Amino acid sequence: MTENKKSKTGYWLLTLVSLAAFVLCCLYLPQALWMPLPTTFGGFALAMDWI
């Protein structure tokens, strides 16, 4: 069994960008607060290699 080493930089970048979108939604558009949540948590799970 071989283990492939994946680069997680893109996943961390996705997480940080979507987290910034989440914070901006909190401040300026609270009714759209739920929209960046799946990408934020999905990117974090991929970056931590939980999926």
Side-chain angles (χ1 to χ4, degrees):
M1 186 184 293
T2 61
E3 189 174 325
N4 294 336
K5 186 167 178 126
K6 296 187 288 185
S7 174
K8 297 178 188 171
T9 306
Y11 296 140
W12 280 112
L13 187 61
L14 173 70
T15 303
L16 292 176
V17 168
S18 59
L19 186 62
F22 177 74
V23 170
L24 288 174
C25 280
C26 283
L27 295 174
Y28 297 111
L29 201 59
Q31 65 268 22
L33 180 67
W34 60 273
M35 291 181 71
L37 282 178
T39 309
T40 303
F41 290 120
F44 182 69
L46 287 170
M48 295 298 288
D49 203 21
W50 290 342
I51 295 178

